[in-house]
Each structure stands twice: as structure tokens, then as C-alpha cells.
Amino acid sequence: MAAQGRGSGAVVLAAAAALVLCVLLHEAQVAESAVFTVGDGGGWSFSSNSWTNGKRFKAGDVLVFKYDSSSHNVVAVNAAGYKGCSAPRGAKVYSSGNDRVTLARGTNYFICSIPGHCQSGMKIAVNAA
């Protein structure tokens, strides 16, 4: 019986080590996520549409939209909503003036749905690898 007890202890130890490794890998992945302020110092504005140029994004990165909430908003849209500057029914609307959005893999589209704003350049498409 003593030998069986030692063997089961090794199994428990190996399982615990595997669990710790999984937690560490998950924490490392979370720690690798970057936070980007849309528009940098200028914030979410009419000149934001070129802000993504030269930047590399990945799924899990966070975009921070800073803007005057009495004048603008942020709406997560699909490709058609981005091209047509329209928010489809059920689109997620952010309006705090300091919104944090986690990027999904693929292209993420955002517009300001205040009339005329998207058409004037207040929209971005962010491709997250």
C-alpha cells in the first residue's frame, strides 16, 4: 500500500504542476495585450480614420476611445455599417466618453453615429491578427 500512496502523490503533483503551467500561460497571454488610445493625444475625432496606419493589433488588445460624450459616440458596426456610415439595429453603442473595447480577431469596425460625423471621417477599421 505504501508504494501505491507514493504513486498517487506523483500523479497529484503532476496535475498541480500542469494546472500552474496553464494559469501562467493564460496570464502571459493576458499580459501581452496592448492598450491603444484611439487618435492618440487627439482622441476619437474627425481625423481618427488614419490613426490605425502603421499600427499592428491583435485579438485581445484594448482600444480606448476618449471623446466629448455630449458631441460624439462610438458604435461597433459590421463592414456594411462602416461603408454606409450606418449603425445596424442592435449595434453596440458606447457613449461614456472614455470607452474601452477589446478587439476580436479579424476586422473590427467603429463609427460615430451622430449625423454627418462618420461621413466626415469619424470611423476606423482595425484589423486584429
Side-chain angles (χ1 to χ4, degrees):
M1 284 257 193
Q4 184 180 14
R6 272 187 246 129
S8 64
V11 170
V12 170
L13 182 59
L19 179 62
V20 168
L21 181 61
C22 287
V23 169
L24 289 174
L25 289 174
H26 176 28
E27 292 299 321
Q29 184 178 16
V30 170
E32 287 179 21
S33 296
V35 177
F36 296 91
T37 299
V38 175
D40 298 318
W44 176 233
S45 67
F46 295 105
S47 60
S48 294
N49 61 347
S50 62
W51 170 78
T52 59
N53 294 347
K55 293 180 177 61
R56 297 179 68 131
F57 303 94
K58 61 184 185 310
D61 285 350
V62 175
L63 298 184
V64 178
F65 291 84
K66 294 186 180 210
Y67 56 93
D68 178 354
S69 62
S70 67
S71 302
H72 303 295
N73 65 16
V74 177
V75 184
V77 298
N78 56 22
Y82 179 81
K83 284 185 179 182
C85 284
S86 62
R89 171 172 277 138
K92 175 67 177 163
V93 179
Y94 300 89
S95 57
S96 74
N98 189 25
D99 306 308
R100 297 175 65 88
V101 180
T102 301
L103 294 173
R105 185 174 315 278
T107 306
N108 298 254
Y109 299 97
F110 303 96
I111 67 170
C112 178
S113 69
I114 304 301
H117 290 198
C118 177
Q119 293 85 342
S120 297
M122 208 164 174
K123 64 182 188 173
I124 60 170
V126 180
N127 189 29

